[in-house]
């Protein structure tokens, strides 16, 4: 959860802290399985780590459809 929060809301200092505390593999794994990241954050970090969108769970079409339907009023 800490990694997800930093990926979504972290400023430069917090991101540097995360890089110093967590191995890259753990950050990438959190990015790939997270359901909490926004499209914007997931896209940014996917590009940063060169991860295809198809490997990031919160960017998958079925998940996006569920998430979009959840927040419609």
């Amino acid at each position: 959860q800490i990694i997800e929060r930093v990926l979504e809301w972290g400023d430069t200092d917090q991101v540097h802290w995360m890089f110093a505390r967590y191995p890259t593999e753990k950050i990438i794994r959190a990015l790939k399985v997270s359901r909490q990241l926004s499209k914007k954050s997931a896209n940014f970090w996917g590009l940063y780590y060169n991860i295809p969108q198809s490997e990031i769970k919160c960017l998958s079409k079925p998940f996006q459809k569920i998430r979009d339907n959840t927040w419609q009023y």
Side-chain angles (χ1 to χ4, degrees), residues 1-7 18 22-37 42 45 49 51 55-58:
Q1 289 180 345
I2 293 170
I3 294 172
E4 288 179 348
R5 298 263 177 150
V6 173
L7 292 175
M18 178 184 68
Y22 295 100
T24 302
E25 297 81 23
K26 192 167 187 172
I27 297 169
I28 290 172
R29 188 171 0 135
L31 172 61
K32 285 182 176 183
V33 301
S34 174
R35 295 180 178 199
Q36 304 302 317
L37 294 175
W45 290 109
Y49 284 111
I51 301 169
E55 294 182 23
I56 301 173
K57 187 171 210 125
C58 64

